[in-house]
Amino acid sequence: MKAPLLRAPSPLPGFGPSFGIALAMLSVVVLLPIGALLGRGLMIGPAELWGMVNTRRVWSALALSFRAALIASLFNLVFGLVLAWVLVRYRFWGRRLIDAAVDLPFALPTAVAGIALTALYAPNGPFGQALAPFGLRIAYTEAGIWLALVFIGLPFVVRTVQPVIEELDPDIEEASATLGARRFHTLRRVILPTLTPALLTGFALALARSVGEYGSVIFIAGNIPGLTEIAPLLIVIRLEEYNSDAAAAIGIAMLLISFAMLLAINAIQIWSRRRIGLV
């Protein structure tokens, strides 16, 4: 008589070695850097950390970074859903080209993206000159930061939601229509509940990417302290001043705020999965 299996068969050969390699890679890439940053904070001390963070310039930079990242990610949440839906459900000339262009922010260096956006939206750029008569200014304002973060965050939402839309059977929408439901009701009651977990995942990825973005923002932001200076730039400034303790303090503040935001998003995601019966 065979002994019962303690674990279900796995396609990966050897749970122990696979788990050990994965844990080692996770430690080297994620856990050790975060542990080193927190360890530096313990060496500095809570009182000193708070004194370095609790300044008007630091709070302004932190507020701008997280506010701009949140606004850009919310925009990408809506526009990314629409774009993914169009790419999956409709066939038109140039669809493959647009689909390939979605991945451009992944391949394009962020500094190049920042330079290109600045050249287009600067006061002497083609788009900047076209918007000037309407009193609109993009470059060297917070709006320019939003634009850069939308550019680098959009692919995360599109590529996360697109496979789920492809698996969504159109017959469900047709059945809802035959039962007398209007399109908005079908969208709210049938489609969005199914797409919510993927949408939240894409939103979290875009938000995490946007909060720490540096290369594409510094060229179009203007980097005015208290107005358009982002937290990652302030960390670089502190390092250039050889004030690594202040840079570590700002980094710890960003880490704690980001962790709290991602924890809230994950909690909402678990609730949405339970609501539609996926957990």
Side-chain angles (χ1 to χ4, degrees):
M1 182 177 180
K2 292 183 178 181
L5 294 174
L6 298 180
R7 290 190 299 266
S10 172
L12 291 176
F15 172 77
S18 302
F19 180 76
I21 293 173
L23 186 60
M25 292 300 298
L26 179 66
S27 300
V28 171
V29 176
V30 179
L31 299 181
L32 288 179
I34 293 178
L37 179 62
L38 295 177
R40 184 62 178 267
L42 291 176
M43 293 175 59
I44 298 172
E48 290 291 333
L49 281 176
W50 178 250
M52 296 174 184
V53 173
N54 192 26
T55 64
R56 182 177 180 181
R57 185 177 181 181
V58 173
W59 283 121
S60 177
L62 288 172
L64 175 61
S65 293
F66 284 95
R67 180 175 65 249
L70 183 61
I71 293 174
S73 299
L74 289 173
F75 178 86
N76 284 332
L77 183 68
V78 178
F79 183 68
L81 171 61
V82 175
L83 181 57
W85 186 272
V86 170
L87 291 175
V88 173
R89 290 301 177 90
Y90 298 98
R91 297 293 181 268
F92 53 91
W93 186 88
R95 185 181 67 88
R96 292 178 180 269
L97 182 62
I98 297 175
D99 188 56
V102 171
D103 294 326
L104 186 61
F106 287 148
L108 192 67
T110 55
V112 176
I115 294 172
L117 291 173
T118 305
L120 290 174
Y121 289 93
N124 58 346
F127 293 166
Q129 292 178 350
L131 295 173
F134 302 97
L136 299 176
R137 186 179 177 185
I138 303 298
Y140 316 128
T141 66
E142 187 173 342
I145 300 176
W146 298 344
L147 180 64
L149 296 183
V150 166
F151 176 80
I152 60 101
L154 180 63
F156 291 95
V157 178
V158 176
R159 293 309 184 211
T160 305
V161 178
Q162 199 170 1
V164 182
I165 298 177
E166 291 175 351
E167 296 178 358
L168 191 63
D169 193 349
D171 293 341
I172 299 176
E173 305 164 42
E174 296 175 2
S176 177
T178 56
L179 293 175
R182 297 183 177 179
R183 291 185 178 181
F184 179 75
H185 185 82
T186 302
L187 174 67
R188 187 168 61 92
R189 293 288 187 177
V190 179
I191 298 174
L192 285 182
T194 305
L195 298 180
T196 296
L199 283 171
L200 290 175
T201 300
F203 174 77
L205 292 173
L207 180 64
R209 179 70 175 84
S210 300
V211 166
E213 178 58 21
Y214 177 79
S216 63
V217 173
I218 58 172
F219 294 100
I220 199 171
N223 310 320
I224 304 173
L227 293 177
T228 59
E229 184 181 58
I230 58 175
L233 175 62
L234 188 55
I235 292 176
V236 174
I237 292 174
R238 292 292 180 256
L239 290 174
E240 291 176 345
E241 296 171 349
Y242 300 100
N243 191 352
S244 57
D245 288 346
I250 301 172
I252 291 173
M254 292 189 68
L255 176 64
L256 295 178
I257 298 173
S258 300
F259 181 78
M261 294 178 67
L262 293 178
L263 186 64
I265 294 173
N266 286 333
I268 298 174
Q269 188 176 23
I270 293 173
W271 172 81
S272 66
R273 288 179 176 273
R274 288 178 177 175
R275 185 168 177 266
I276 63 177
L278 294 180
V279 178

